[in-house]
Each structure stands twice: as C-alpha cells, then as structure tokens.
Amino acid sequence: MTINTKIQKRLQEGIKKFQPIINLAKAKDINESDTVVIITDILQEVLGYDKYTEITSEYAIKKTFCDIAIKINGKARILIECKAIGLDLKDDYIRQATDYGCNSGIDWIILTNGANWRIYKITITKPIDKELVYEFDFNNLNYKNNNDLELLFYIAKEAL
C-alpha cells in the first residue's frame, strides 16, 4: 500500500515523538487518566483526528461510559477502551469493550494501554463474535518501515 507523502511524514514524526513519551509513562507507571491524555494526543497528532470534533472522551453507552469514541461526520465509528500503561491487556477488558460496541451498534473496537494496541472487529449477531484484526506495540514500530507505518495508517482518519 502506498501512503500519501504528507500522511507518511506525520506517521513517522509521530512515532519518533511518542515512543519516548510512552517509555517515560511506562517507567513512571502512570494511571489510566494520564494514559488517556497520551492516547488522545496520538489520535490527534499521529492519526489525524480533530481533537475537538472527532475525539470524544467518556462516550455514553446506556448507563456506562467508554473511554474514547472516534466520530466521523458526527457519528461514532470506533470505540477505544483505554487502560493504564502498566496494565496488561486482559480478556476481561476486551469483553468490556465488546459490550460497549454491541450496546452502541459500533463494530470497530480498539483496546490499548498506549503502548499495546489491539484492533477488533465485532460481528453483532447471536452469539456476539469478535475478531482480533491486528495488534502492535507502539514502542516496537520502526518509522522507516512501511509495514509498521501501515499498521498506524489503517486506524488513521484518512483510512476510515
């Protein structure tokens, strides 16, 4: 896949900028709220979403809240469940995110702690099914590697 030069540069610069931030956050074992701030910055600066119109925190779903929703043209398209950077991404967390998706009719879910990112596609049928489409560790991304850039591009605004 060929990524537009402008987008490629944004992805490369984002990897270089956020890898040290993620490493420092991990070393300090920051909490979930502070991790969400980093993830929001990645969504804006690296993935190209507008912080004021396309990124919504504490997205209401029935009587609960998902950490982040990505909206395109005013409609939520991706739900992001965030955990503190020091936590492993457990099955219970994806179950929680899957429930959010099912209850809101949104079939793309991202589970992340800022360093590890897992992208899921939910099939809203009986029984509910989820498929791990792909995953990556932000700290292992190489800004010179096109395959690594594609991992980010697939969840960037332009790919949506």
Side-chain angles (χ1 to χ4, degrees):
M1 164 183 284
T2 304
I3 301 172
N4 167 309
T5 306
K6 182 179 171 186
I7 297 166
Q8 183 176 10
K9 183 174 170 54
R10 186 184 75 216
L11 297 174
Q12 290 172 327
E13 294 301 317
I15 291 170
K16 289 190 270 186
K17 177 180 178 177
F18 281 96
Q19 283 178 336
I21 292 169
I22 290 169
N23 283 325
L24 181 61
K26 208 168 191 176
K28 288 184 171 184
D29 195 24
I30 65 171
N31 63 32
E32 183 175 311
S33 295
D34 292 339
T35 303
V36 169
V37 171
I38 294 170
I39 292 165
T40 301
D41 288 347
I42 290 171
L43 291 170
Q44 178 191 7
E45 295 181 37
V46 183
L47 301 177
Y49 296 101
D50 183 272
K51 184 165 36 177
Y52 304 107
T53 61
E54 296 171 330
I55 301 171
T56 300
S57 61
E58 296 299 316
Y59 182 72
I61 301 168
K62 295 196 175 183
K63 294 180 180 180
T64 187
F65 297 90
C66 183
D67 294 312
I68 298 173
I70 300 295
K71 291 182 172 183
I72 302 297
N73 297 325
K75 184 177 190 269
R77 301 278 307 276
I78 301 173
L79 296 178
I80 303 174
E81 180 59 23
C82 306
K83 296 300 173 190
I85 199 159
L87 292 179
D88 292 330
L89 301 180
K90 298 178 184 172
D91 287 343
D92 284 349
Y93 302 147
I94 189 53
R95 206 166 310 131
Q96 176 186 12
T98 302
D99 288 345
Y100 290 152
C102 292
N103 289 326
S104 63
I106 298 169
D107 55 0
W108 285 101
I109 304 293
I110 297 175
L111 176 62
T112 183
N113 62 9
N116 300 32
W117 293 66
R118 293 184 184 168
I119 293 77
Y120 291 89
K121 171 81 167 141
I122 298 174
T123 307
I124 303 174
T125 57
K126 294 204 180 207
I128 304 297
D129 193 23
K130 68 182 177 318
E131 175 188 355
L132 176 63
V133 178
Y134 71 98
E135 63 184 318
F136 62 89
D137 182 331
F138 200 95
N139 286 326
N140 290 335
L141 295 175
N142 179 342
Y143 70 91
K144 295 179 182 178
N145 183 311
N146 284 334
N147 290 334
D148 286 357
L149 295 178
E150 282 183 20
L151 294 175
L152 288 176
F153 177 73
Y154 292 140
I155 56 174
K157 178 179 178 178
E158 294 83 1
L160 224 57

